[in-house]
């Protein structure tokens, strides 16, 4: 049916109808219902606490990540490749990129964390999985900050932005970024889909987006606009996001030495 509609309708009409369909499914599908229930339970669960949003940059290899064992952590995309080495997993896990979820669905299902993936990627996740879903009604094209994932969570151009919105909802007073290097060796057109031809130099593990893996080149400028939005919303309620990434290129958030965080 989708293929027939795609072939007979103007593209903008098809996209509009697809968006309406996905939002109706979010409201009535049991997976959406279950996801909204867990969000209700997580509202302000960590009020007054701090968390670490763990990116996937090469800088992670220069950090003592064992210090995170007793911290609350939010990991993203293929961060689970680190778990065997760490000896522990992240508390929360987020993946919103369709290419990542499609190619890594079976791995994601096995992650021992509270898992959130994009509602638009639900077809890749088996129905019996313990994944929950976050819903971006814009399909990843709106640059907004949502304070209520019961309705929506905006992804824009980076999963880190989605994680910041979830951290806001859960009530964290202080969100600390690590591994958000904001720097890619691989250059090219923003958001262009490419296939990796060899080892990955942009992440902590050369197999992260290794040979044959399809991924999208980053849009760092658009990511920065999203980060400014997140920074502003946190500061409006006297909360903050700070950056402890070692050698990171992001200059939006206040910087802090990673090791100093454990001596306070």
């Amino acid at each position: 049916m989708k293929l027939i509609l795609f072939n007979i309708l103007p593209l903008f009409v098809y996209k509009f109808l697809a968006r309406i369909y996905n939002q109706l499914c979010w409201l009535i599908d049991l997976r959406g219902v279950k996801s909204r229930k867990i969000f209700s339970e997580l509202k302000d669960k960590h009020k007054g606490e701090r968390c670490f949003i763990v990116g996937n940059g090469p800088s992670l290899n220069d950090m003592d990540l064992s210090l995170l064992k007793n911290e609350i952590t939010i990991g993203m995309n293929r961060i689970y490749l680190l778990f065997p080495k760490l000896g522990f997993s992240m508390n929360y896990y987020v993946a919103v990129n369709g290419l990542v979820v499609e190619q890594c669905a079976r791995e994601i299902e096995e992650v021992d964390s509270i898992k959130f993936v994009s509602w638009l990627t639900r077809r890749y996740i088996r129905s019996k999985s313990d994944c929950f879903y976050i819903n971006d009604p814009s399909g990843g094209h709106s640059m907004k900050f949502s304070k209520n994932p019961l309705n929506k969570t905006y992804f824009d151009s980076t999963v880190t932005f989605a994680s910041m919105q979830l951290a806001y909802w859960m009530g964290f007073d202080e969100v600390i970024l690590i591994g958000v290097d904001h720097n890619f060796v691989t250059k090219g057109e923003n958001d262009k889909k490419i296939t990796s031809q060899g080892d990955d130099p942009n992440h902590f593990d050369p197999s992260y987006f290794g040979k044959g893996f399809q991924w999208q080149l980053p849009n760092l400028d658009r990511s920065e606009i999203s980060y400014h939005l997140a920074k502003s919303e946190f500061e409006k309620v006297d909360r903050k996001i700070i950056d402890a990434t070692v050698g990171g290129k992001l200059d939006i958030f206040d910087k802090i030495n990673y090791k100093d965080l454990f001596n306070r």
Side-chain angles (χ1 to χ4, degrees):
M1 176 61 73
K2 288 185 179 180
L3 183 59
I4 294 173
L5 291 175
F6 182 80
N7 288 327
I8 66 175
L9 293 174
L11 182 58
F12 76 93
V13 175
Y14 173 80
K15 287 184 175 180
F16 174 77
L17 292 176
R19 189 171 297 176
I20 295 298
Y21 171 77
N22 277 306
Q23 294 317 298
L24 287 174
C25 288
W26 169 251
L27 293 174
I28 63 177
D29 190 294
L30 289 179
R31 292 168 293 181
V33 173
K34 183 178 73 170
S35 298
R36 292 193 296 278
K37 181 176 183 296
I38 192 69
F39 280 128
S40 295
E41 295 170 358
L42 289 174
K43 172 63 174 171
D44 288 331
K45 178 179 179 179
H46 298 289
K47 189 172 184 179
E49 298 181 283
R50 73 178 186 180
C51 76
F52 288 77
I53 292 181
V54 184
N56 299 287
S59 64
L60 291 182
N61 294 320
D62 299 322
M63 308 178 74
D64 180 4
L65 299 178
S66 68
L67 296 172
L68 298 177
K69 185 172 184 178
N70 297 314
E71 299 287 340
I72 303 172
T73 49
I74 301 175
M76 302 171 290
N77 290 343
R78 302 198 78 196
I79 189 65
Y80 52 78
L81 295 175
L82 265 182
F83 293 174
K85 179 180 177 181
L86 290 178
F88 59 90
S89 58
M90 304 291 159
N91 300 91
Y92 301 97
Y93 169 85
V94 186
V96 300
N97 183 276
L99 287 175
V100 171
V101 178
E102 179 181 4
Q103 294 171 95
C104 304
R106 302 292 82 80
E107 296 174 357
I108 291 171
E109 289 175 346
E110 296 301 318
V111 172
D112 185 21
S113 306
I114 297 176
K115 301 185 285 288
F116 297 101
V117 298
S118 166
W119 179 243
L120 295 180
T121 67
R122 63 190 182 278
R123 66 184 180 277
Y124 303 122
I125 302 295
R126 291 176 294 199
S127 59
K128 292 184 179 180
S129 168
D130 60 350
C131 286
F132 300 102
Y133 295 89
I134 46 181
N135 176 45
D136 183 348
S138 77
H141 300 294
S142 286
M143 198 175 293
K144 300 177 182 178
F145 186 95
S146 172
K147 301 174 186 177
N148 186 356
L150 288 167
N151 298 319
K152 56 203 169 197
T153 303
Y154 293 106
F155 307 156
D156 197 47
S157 58
T158 169
V159 64
T160 307
F161 183 56
S163 296
M164 290 172 175
Q165 293 166 75
L166 297 183
Y168 185 99
W169 173 258
M170 289 189 279
F172 290 104
D173 273 3
E174 185 177 64
V175 174
I176 303 156
L177 305 180
I178 64 170
V180 183
D181 293 25
H182 200 63
N183 179 53
F184 280 71
V185 174
T186 306
K187 306 297 182 183
E189 180 184 343
N190 289 342
D191 302 314
K192 181 180 179 181
K193 184 171 77 171
I194 64 172
T195 300
S196 179
Q197 300 302 309
D199 287 349
D200 181 353
N202 304 298
H203 297 92
F204 63 84
D205 189 313
S207 68
Y208 189 95
F209 287 163
K211 187 174 182 179
F213 200 100
Q214 292 186 318
W215 61 290
Q216 288 169 295
L217 293 172
N219 188 332
L220 298 182
D221 291 336
R222 191 173 173 94
S223 294
E224 289 183 9
I225 298 173
S226 298
Y227 294 152
H228 276 294
L229 282 173
K231 182 176 187 287
S232 175
E233 293 299 333
F234 270 80
E235 290 179 347
K236 284 178 184 177
V237 290
D238 295 322
R239 294 154 68 184
K240 59 185 177 180
I241 303 172
I242 56 178
D243 188 357
T245 299
V246 173
K249 303 298 184 183
L250 188 61
D251 59 4
I252 292 170
F253 305 103
D254 290 340
K255 302 284 188 178
I256 191 169
N257 183 281
Y258 174 67
K259 291 185 177 179
D260 289 346
L261 290 165
F262 303 95
N263 298 317
R264 295 192 290 178

